[in-house]
């Protein structure tokens, strides 16, 4: 009997909606929440275990199933759960996938089933009200210490601001929503809730690094920033659909890591730097947590004269790492070296992806800015 019941649950996994994890979209889930009626992956089952008051999990293959549990799974399933628990997810809200960090995935599960934020609209106020203020731990630019700072996000002013003292009248920085990006970087920042916020000042990238001890708070900040970007873009591009705008709300980097670089004359010795490929902007830093990039390179498309080559020109000297990359731009060549061959392959693939993509009209304007940079 037990074997038959397990067979019946396995059969349910073949229904189209159940072939991917209900929470992160990972293929072939083989765990289930038998109180919510969803099939989930092993990793998400660990998150469900933390909310036992709403979700109880068991393995489809390893655990025993009772008749009533099988019937419950059969009459619910991932499609039905989505129709209930995700009925009012705002378009700007970030839906994490299996490759996203733990805090994003955990808060998504808690928001859906524990807090039922996407059933009750009033619970979305922390990120949909157009205004948010609160304290975040912000990394000091010079000493690297995290200090509590007051942040204010106001869509009306189109800006995120922070203050060095809570009674200060003037903000320490005003970050325009137009150029703002936020991306979770737990490993780099050294905190599971670490968020990197970047903005442009005089067309140069500035970084700030923040976290909040409470996972809900930092994910609410992240979605509030996305909401602000969404509303900004809706005004800036009145004809655009939600599907056009949503991918522009925040960006993860195409690749980050150390490479060596040399200067424009290519006679200087190579130096190890931290590189970040953000869309078409290749930035390098002395330290991964620097507030400012040491330099930024615009990477255009092959149609406009950009190329990525394996290796270095034959006469190159002064490098320590053996795996070279040459980027050809209309103005000059940039030479890089990587420590391992797999690093080199990943960087070349990241650059190639950008070079292969035709440039958008507004990207020509960005390219022109780079050329006129002193
Ligand atoms: Zn999952």
């Amino acid at each position: 009997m037990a074997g038959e019941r397990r067979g019946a649950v396995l059969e349910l996994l073949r229904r189209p909606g159940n072939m991917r994890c209900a929470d992160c979209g990972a293929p072939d889930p083989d765990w289930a929440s038998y109180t919510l009626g969803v099939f989930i992956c092993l990793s998400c089952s660990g998150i469900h275990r933390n909310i036992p008051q709403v979700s109880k999990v068991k393995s489809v293959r390893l655990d025993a199933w009772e008749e009533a549990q099988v019937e419950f799974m059969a009459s619910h399933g991932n499609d039905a759960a989505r129709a209930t628990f995700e009925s009012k997810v705002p378009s700007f809200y970030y839906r994490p996938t299996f490759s996203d960090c733990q805090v994003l995935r955990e808060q998504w599960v808690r928001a859906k089933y524990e807090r039922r934020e996407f059933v009750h609209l009033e619970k979305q106020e922390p990120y949909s009200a157009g205004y948010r203020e609160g304290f975040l731990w912000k990394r000091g630019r010079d000493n690297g210490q995290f200090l509590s700072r007051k942040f204010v996000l106001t869509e009306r002013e189109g800006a995120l601001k922070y203050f060095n003292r809570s009674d200060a009248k003037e903000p320490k920085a005003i970050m325009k929503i137009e150029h703002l990006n936020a991306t979770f970087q737990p490993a780099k920042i050294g905190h599971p809730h670490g968020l990197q916020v970047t903005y442009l000042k005089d067309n140069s990238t500035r970084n700030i690094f923040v976290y909040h001890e409470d996972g809900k708070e930092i994910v609410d900040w992240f979605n509030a920033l996305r909401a602000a970007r969404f509303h900004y873009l809706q005004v800036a591009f009145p004809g655009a659909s939600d599907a056009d705008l949503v991918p522009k709300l925040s960006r993860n980097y195409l690749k980050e890591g150390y490479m060596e670089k040399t200067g424009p004359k290519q006679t200087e010795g190579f130096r190890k730097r931290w590189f970040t490929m953000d869309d078409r902007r290749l930035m390098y830093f002395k330290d991964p947590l620097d507030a400012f990039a040491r330099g930024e390179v615009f990477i255009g498309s092959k149609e406009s004269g950009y190329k990525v080559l394996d290796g270095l020109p034959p006469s190159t000297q002064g490098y320590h790492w053996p795996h070279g990359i040459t980027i050809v731009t209309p103005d000059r060549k940039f030479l890089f070296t990587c420590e391992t061959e797999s690093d080199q392959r990943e960087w070349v693939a990241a650059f190639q992806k950008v070079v292969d993509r035709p440039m958008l009209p507004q990207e020509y304007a960005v390219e022109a800015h780079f050329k006129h940079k002193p």
Side-chain angles (χ1 to χ4, degrees):
M1 279 303 280
E4 275 171 40
R5 287 200 292 266
R6 183 169 307 129
V9 186
L10 283 168
E11 197 61 34
L12 294 175
L13 279 177
R14 296 200 202 166
R15 290 190 188 168
N18 299 340
M19 289 163 85
R20 289 184 167 272
C21 172
D23 297 328
C24 74
D28 307 320
D30 56 4
W31 285 74
S33 165
Y34 61 91
T35 52
L36 294 168
V38 290
F39 291 95
I40 52 180
C41 70
L42 173 64
S43 170
C44 290
S45 78
I47 299 171
H48 280 249
R49 278 180 203 282
N50 293 334
I51 45 169
Q53 65 282 18
V54 292
S55 184
K56 295 206 177 350
V57 297
K58 56 171 66 184
S59 162
V60 171
R61 289 169 209 282
L62 305 174
D63 288 321
W65 285 80
E66 290 167 20
E67 193 62 47
Q69 292 168 345
V70 179
E71 280 168 21
F72 185 78
M73 294 307 295
S75 61
H76 290 74
N78 292 5
D79 284 342
R82 194 165 295 125
T84 306
F85 295 107
E86 299 181 24
S87 65
K88 292 173 184 158
V89 181
S91 340
F92 61 77
Y93 195 93
Y94 187 77
R95 294 165 176 261
T97 70
F98 50 92
S99 58
D100 278 305
C101 63
Q102 176 74 15
V103 68
L104 272 173
R105 292 190 301 111
E106 172 162 356
Q107 291 305 317
W108 168 238
V109 168
R110 287 183 181 272
K112 276 209 286 187
Y113 307 116
E114 184 184 38
R115 301 192 291 266
R116 301 201 174 211
E117 283 175 27
F118 312 120
V119 178
H120 305 291
L121 277 177
E122 70 277 10
K123 296 197 175 179
Q124 298 175 10
E125 211 209 314
Y127 42 83
S128 63
Y131 182 89
R132 183 179 168 90
E133 65 170 66
F135 286 85
L136 292 170
W137 293 98
K138 178 190 166 292
R139 188 179 188 274
R141 185 196 297 171
D142 301 319
N143 59 13
Q145 272 184 12
F146 282 86
L147 296 170
S148 180
R149 293 288 181 249
K150 185 176 144 188
F151 282 76
V152 175
L153 172 67
T154 142
E155 287 190 14
R156 194 171 49 81
E157 293 175 37
L160 172 68
K161 307 186 272 193
Y162 78 87
F163 299 81
N164 270 357
R165 290 161 47 104
S166 57
D167 59 353
K169 291 217 166 48
E170 292 303 316
K172 178 78 172 101
I174 301 176
M175 300 165 252
K176 302 299 277 178
I177 284 166
E178 181 183 359
H179 299 299
L180 205 67
N181 185 39
T183 168
F184 278 94
Q185 296 282 346
K188 194 166 79 172
I189 296 172
H191 190 282
H193 304 162
L195 186 71
Q196 177 171 3
V197 177
T198 63
Y199 61 107
L200 286 183
K201 193 170 179 190
D202 308 324
N203 200 39
S204 292
T205 304
R206 306 268 181 125
N207 294 321
I208 62 167
F209 301 95
V210 296
Y211 70 86
H212 195 290
E213 300 91 333
D214 185 329
K216 177 185 188 301
E217 290 293 320
I218 198 70
V219 173
D220 281 353
W221 270 107
F222 178 65
N223 281 300
L225 294 172
R226 285 176 55 91
R229 295 260 312 146
F230 187 57
H231 299 139
Y232 164 79
L233 291 169
Q234 282 181 317
V235 174
F237 303 97
S241 67
D242 286 7
D244 291 332
L245 299 182
V246 167
K248 298 187 170 73
L249 303 185
S250 60
R251 305 181 300 277
N252 288 329
Y253 300 136
L254 296 174
K255 180 156 174 64
E256 280 199 295
Y258 284 108
M259 291 194 287
E260 288 186 323
K261 69 171 282 293
T262 183
K265 297 196 201 81
Q266 295 164 10
T267 51
E268 306 91 333
F270 279 66
R271 286 189 180 160
K272 181 178 156 184
R273 294 286 181 253
W274 178 264
F275 284 82
T276 299
M277 187 74 217
D278 178 14
D279 197 24
R280 288 198 185 273
R281 204 176 268 266
L282 176 65
M283 297 170 274
Y284 58 91
F285 305 88
K286 197 164 179 194
D287 182 277
L289 300 178
D290 280 346
F292 311 93
R294 290 286 171 117
E296 305 193 35
V297 181
F298 180 86
I299 314 273
S301 66
K302 55 187 176 207
E303 290 82 7
S304 36
Y306 293 81
K307 252 193 292 193
V308 187
L309 307 170
D310 278 341
L312 302 172
S315 59
T316 311
Q317 291 183 339
Y319 55 91
H320 312 94
W321 285 349
H323 305 283
I325 302 174
T326 302
I327 295 188
V328 182
T329 76
D331 300 323
R332 59 168 277 202
K333 284 179 180 163
F334 291 89
L335 311 184
F336 306 110
T337 60
C338 301
E339 192 170 18
T340 66
E341 200 183 334
S342 69
D343 267 356
Q344 189 237 25
R345 275 200 304 268
E346 285 174 26
W347 276 111
V348 167
F351 294 141
Q352 198 64 55
K353 204 169 155 185
V354 174
V355 167
D356 285 345
R357 198 177 69 214
M359 270 164 67
L360 302 168
Q362 60 267 34
E363 290 177 329
Y364 285 97
V366 177
E367 183 188 33
H369 267 294
F370 271 82
K371 285 187 174 158
H372 294 122
K373 244 167 113 170

